[in-house]
Amino acid sequence: MSREGFLELRGLLMERLDLSRELEDEEIFRIIDELIIHYSKIHYISLKEMVQLRQELFYSIRKLDVLQELIDDNSVTEIMVNGPEKIFVERNGQLKLWEKEFTSKEKLEDVIQQIVGRCNRVVNEAMPIVDARLDNGSRVNVVIPPVALDGPIMTIRRFPDTPITMEKLIQLNSITEECAQFLKKLVQARYSLLIGGGTSSGKTTFLSALSNFIPKDERIITIEDNAELQIQGVENLVRMEAKMANMEGNREISIRDLIKTSLRMRPDRIIVGEVRGEEACDLLTSFNTGHEGGIATLHSNSCQDTVSRLETMVLMGMEIPLDAIRRQIASGVDILVHLGRLKDKSRKLLEISEVLGFENGEVKLQTLFSYDYKKGLQQVNRLQNEAKLEREGIVL
């Protein structure tokens, strides 16, 4: 069916709908069916086209318009909207231009406002950049004019509807059974972990899978910019999400604010979706004031780089000597995990390092597991600090 024909039908549909009241899906479908039947008496439409047109008209009114088909497709991992006429889709690590597009720039803007509004966030010329999420937890980033020169830009990182477990990661060869069991024991023994990696290396997915090793009777507090973590089977779970300032004068609630308040909420575990800036100060403080077993992610290029990144982020929020920061890292962080994405687009656990302490002005690390491109993930050293394992009666 032509674009003009679709726009004509959509215009007729909007005229028929009573937008002054809440409409049931069945009522909308009934009106759509009547319009399509009438239209088909004038213009030939195949049965296949009718079914597709029915769904697309419904999506344009009720859901995310042309994007809804991609949101419902489990094979899609990323959606990149470069203006109304260019939509790129990632499936199985391959990025391709999609054949469909928005009917207008205004329709794309409507979808963006719908997504952002559901998260109680604002995007406009004064605040042209925003992070949000969909109802299914997918991560959304929006950039609009005047920052985006060619029209509204939206990037959606789609997460699986069914949470990926550690067993699934083992099946995908992202981690070995031996390494998974090793990490399970460390999590149960309340070792503090930092998960590093580059963009799209699977940090959030891995954190969600790793969190399932936490005993179910513990009180877990999760802190995120946008709620994405999929933690299952925990009754005493508190989820908190940062909030942007808005035009009505409501102040920003930052990750740093949430970490500070979480310390007063009697947490057994504090999980931070991603550390990006000065909140690293408060994360380290929590690790060093009796809040063991915390887990967080951050962007980095290796375990050693994770330490450097953490140092830099602490300095963003507090002017203290570098030696003092390194001592805090050495005493508070136990284990560093590094993830990566290989050339074949597969995601792998590439390195696990143990923090041994502070020595000669540096944070001393020991590599425990390392990924070899020929042999795969191999254990190269034994854990030295087994005090927490011994305390919990866990044997490696």
Side-chain angles (χ1 to χ4, degrees):
M1 185 179 198
S2 68
R3 181 177 180 180
E4 291 74 19
F6 177 83
L7 289 174
E8 179 185 346
L9 276 173
R10 189 178 186 281
L12 292 170
L13 176 60
M14 293 300 294
E15 291 176 6
R16 293 276 302 273
L17 294 177
D18 181 3
L19 299 179
S20 65
R21 62 185 178 85
E22 185 68 27
L23 297 170
E24 297 292 333
D25 290 353
E26 293 76 11
E27 187 176 356
I28 296 175
F29 273 124
R30 180 180 57 77
I31 298 172
I32 290 172
D33 291 341
E34 291 174 359
L35 288 172
I36 291 176
I37 291 170
H38 178 74
Y39 189 86
S40 66
K41 292 177 179 178
I42 305 170
H43 307 277
Y44 171 75
I45 310 176
S46 68
L47 181 59
K48 181 179 180 181
E49 287 177 318
M50 284 185 179
V51 173
Q52 184 176 356
L53 180 59
R54 182 178 191 260
Q55 200 68 61
E56 288 180 356
L57 284 170
F58 178 74
Y59 285 163
S60 73
I61 299 298
R62 181 63 95 193
K63 297 198 176 183
L64 300 183
D65 199 70
V66 69
L67 296 182
Q68 191 63 45
E69 180 181 336
L70 298 176
I71 297 298
D72 293 338
D73 186 343
N74 289 332
S75 67
V76 172
T77 52
E78 199 107 29
I79 304 167
M80 304 171 189
V81 181
N82 298 351
E85 298 177 356
K86 286 187 178 179
I87 301 174
F88 289 86
V89 180
E90 182 187 65
R91 288 186 178 91
N92 301 317
Q94 301 298 316
L95 197 60
K96 292 184 178 180
L97 179 66
W98 200 35
E99 67 273 9
K100 298 184 180 181
E101 58 189 45
F102 283 93
T103 54
S104 66
K105 175 185 172 185
E106 289 71 27
K107 186 57 193 175
L108 171 56
E109 290 172 344
D110 287 346
V111 169
I112 287 173
Q113 292 299 338
Q114 177 186 339
I115 292 171
V116 172
R118 285 179 180 174
C119 300
N120 295 316
R121 301 198 175 186
V122 175
V123 62
N124 51 36
E125 287 190 5
M127 302 174 68
I129 301 174
V130 68
D131 289 318
R133 57 180 166 81
L134 301 182
D135 293 339
N136 66 0
S138 297
R139 179 189 307 164
V140 181
N141 173 263
V142 173
V143 183
I144 66 170
V147 174
L149 301 181
D150 299 319
I153 307 299
M154 180 163 57
T155 308
I156 301 174
R157 171 76 57 80
R158 190 187 181 286
F159 295 103
D161 295 331
T162 303
I164 292 182
T165 62
M166 195 60 73
E167 289 73 21
K168 181 64 174 178
L169 292 177
I170 293 170
Q171 292 173 16
L172 294 170
N173 293 319
S174 295
I175 186 174
T176 63
E177 173 73 33
E178 176 192 18
C179 186
Q181 289 301 315
F182 174 79
L183 288 173
K184 179 179 181 178
K185 292 177 180 179
L186 295 188
V187 171
Q188 291 175 339
R190 307 181 65 81
Y191 283 72
S192 299
L193 284 81
L194 291 182
I195 302 169
T199 300
S200 192
S201 59
K203 298 185 295 297
T204 301
T205 298
F206 192 83
L207 175 53
S208 293
L210 198 63
S211 66
N212 288 322
F213 292 148
I214 298 174
K216 304 305 181 188
D217 60 349
E218 293 191 11
R219 177 173 171 83
I220 300 175
I221 297 179
T222 65
I223 298 168
E224 302 173 82
D225 261 333
N226 295 289
E228 300 167 355
L229 292 172
Q230 297 173 305
I231 297 177
Q232 306 295 309
V234 177
E235 290 188 359
N236 201 346
L237 174 64
V238 178
R239 302 167 70 230
M240 296 196 291
E241 183 179 67
K243 184 180 77 67
M244 296 174 59
N246 61 30
M247 303 301 288
E248 285 72 44
N250 291 329
R251 77 177 188 88
E252 175 189 15
I253 304 297
S254 67
I255 294 288
R256 189 168 193 182
D257 294 327
L258 295 179
I259 293 176
K260 286 178 179 177
T261 201
S262 72
L263 301 179
R264 305 183 186 98
M265 297 170 69
R266 201 267 183 212
D268 288 314
R269 308 268 182 159
I270 298 173
I271 298 178
V272 182
E274 184 174 344
V275 182
R276 295 177 180 169
E278 58 188 26
E279 64 270 13
C281 302
D282 305 284
L283 182 70
L284 274 184
T285 299
S286 72
F287 285 173
N288 281 286
T289 53
H291 297 89
E292 296 180 331
I295 310 175
T297 78
L298 72 164
H299 278 82
S300 66
N301 299 315
S302 66
C303 285
Q304 187 64 58
D305 186 51
T306 294
V307 176
S308 300
R309 288 272 297 143
L310 197 58
E311 293 169 358
T312 302
M313 289 188 287
V314 172
L315 286 170
M316 291 168 66
M318 189 181 299
E319 292 186 13
I320 59 175
L322 192 56
D323 273 8
I325 297 173
R326 290 174 176 171
R327 289 180 188 276
Q328 288 283 298
I329 295 172
S331 63
V333 180
D334 297 311
I335 299 291
L336 305 176
V337 178
H338 183 69
L339 310 175
R341 194 172 186 186
L342 306 186
K343 288 184 178 180
D344 64 359
K345 309 301 182 183
S346 64
R347 296 173 174 87
K348 305 283 188 185
L349 191 154
L350 301 180
E351 183 183 2
I352 298 177
S353 290
E354 175 186 10
V355 179
L356 295 180
F358 180 76
E359 189 175 294
N360 299 323
E362 300 287 342
V363 177
K364 186 179 180 182
L365 303 182
Q366 174 188 236
T367 302
L368 302 176
F369 284 81
S370 181
Y371 183 82
D372 183 279
Y373 288 89
K374 292 182 179 179
K375 299 178 182 178
L377 188 63
Q378 305 271 312
Q379 183 167 5
V380 293
N381 284 298
R382 182 176 174 83
L383 184 74
Q384 287 194 27
N385 180 14
E386 297 188 7
K388 292 183 179 179
L389 288 166
E390 293 169 355
R391 181 188 65 191
E392 300 296 326
I394 298 173
V395 180
L396 278 180

